[in-house]
Amino acid sequence: MDGRRRERLWRLVTERVSERDSGIGWVGVVCAVAVEVLDIDGSAISLRVRDHDQELIAADGDWAISLEELQYTVGEGPGVEAFASGGPVLVSDLTVDEQRWPGFADAAAAQGLGATFAFPLQIGAILLGTLDLYRRAAGPLSPEELSDGLALADLAGTALLTDSTGEGGQNALWARPDVVGYYDDVNVATGMLATELKISLEDALLRLRAHAFSHQRPVTEVAKAVLDRQLRFDSPQEPS
């Protein structure tokens, strides 16, 4: 890690924090700085435990949010792979690597994604999540941008600690109020289905994801329909 590069980016983050509302967390500012200094169009930070156990905590732009949700729906994508491998995932042309994540690639391309880059967030030996970067145009990161991406991922881990300890301000735990508990409906609907159908939580989540994918709907939308009793899964096979 280039110490001077990290110091420069951290100074930029702290400057942007001072320019924003007190309710904006440091992780959200890291996402914004990533879009500012890199040739990308969106960024997001998700905490992850497994491919199906994650929480979106910061994003720069609704487009990035929709791509994070797509990864959550299909259970694959750059962030999922970066967390599983513990190393950066660099896809400069999604059309070339579309077989890498068949469930993610077509839907992401339909949303205008051309290139994507994901970096694991790590503190010591502990993996916390990923910093995911999205670009509409295909093309690789330059060597300098790659170094900045690695530094920003390192800073994101520091920002997570800063937010969680309250050092970034009174309401600095999360980057955007509309991102807090983003998948809560999915978690509740999963538990509801597991209880009603007498299946495991993993199978219940798989049912929600499969329905969302086959009907080209966000999994959060499907979960809300289940909670509102607008969509019922009366058997372990197919919903009515």
Side-chain angles (χ1 to χ4, degrees):
M1 179 69 64
D2 186 332
R4 285 178 296 181
R5 185 181 300 274
R6 186 185 190 282
E7 182 179 350
R8 173 179 60 83
L9 290 169
W10 187 244
R11 186 179 300 113
L12 185 57
V13 169
T14 56
E15 289 173 356
R16 296 298 180 268
V17 167
S18 66
E19 295 170 359
R20 290 169 174 255
D21 297 334
S22 60
I24 301 298
W26 289 72
V27 285
V29 175
V30 170
C31 286
V33 167
V35 174
E36 180 179 341
V37 302
L38 304 175
D39 182 18
I40 58 171
D41 301 297
S43 64
I45 293 173
S46 287
L47 295 180
R48 300 178 185 274
V49 178
R50 297 177 296 274
D51 65 338
H52 59 272
D53 192 356
Q54 64 191 64
E55 184 63 46
L56 174 64
I57 64 166
D60 188 89
D62 292 337
W63 185 57
I65 291 177
S66 68
L67 291 168
E68 286 293 294
E69 183 171 354
L70 176 59
Q71 289 196 73
Y72 182 81
T73 298
V74 301
E76 64 180 24
V80 176
E81 183 174 325
F83 184 77
S85 68
V89 171
L90 311 173
V91 176
S92 59
D93 190 339
L94 191 63
T95 61
V96 174
D97 276 356
E98 60 185 353
Q99 294 307 311
R100 189 170 186 168
W101 312 301
F104 173 81
D106 287 345
Q111 293 189 38
L113 183 65
T116 180
F117 316 97
F119 302 88
L121 308 184
Q122 189 166 351
I123 297 179
I126 301 174
L127 283 173
L128 300 175
T130 57
L131 168 66
D132 300 340
L133 311 177
Y134 302 107
R135 181 197 287 154
R136 296 185 184 278
L141 295 174
S142 69
E144 293 75 16
E145 287 177 320
L146 178 56
S147 295
D148 281 348
L150 290 166
L152 284 166
D154 183 59
L155 292 178
T158 302
L160 284 169
L161 293 179
T162 301
D163 285 343
S164 64
T165 58
E167 295 175 7
Q170 182 178 359
N171 300 312
L173 180 57
W174 304 112
R176 291 176 48 167
D178 58 334
V179 169
V180 179
Y182 193 76
Y183 299 119
D184 281 356
D185 283 352
V186 178
N187 295 332
V188 175
T190 297
M192 181 186 297
L193 285 182
T195 300
E196 291 178 351
L197 301 181
K198 296 180 173 57
I199 58 179
S200 69
L201 289 172
E202 288 192 357
D203 286 343
L205 180 56
L206 182 61
R207 295 289 308 286
L208 287 175
R209 281 177 158 174
H211 185 85
F213 182 70
S214 63
H215 290 79
Q216 297 184 339
R217 299 172 65 187
V219 69
T220 48
E221 183 180 306
V222 172
K224 185 66 165 56
V226 170
L227 296 179
D228 292 342
R229 297 296 183 178
Q230 297 173 351
L231 175 65
R232 297 185 63 87
F233 290 74
D234 294 325
S235 73
Q237 282 76 42
E238 295 294 336
S240 61

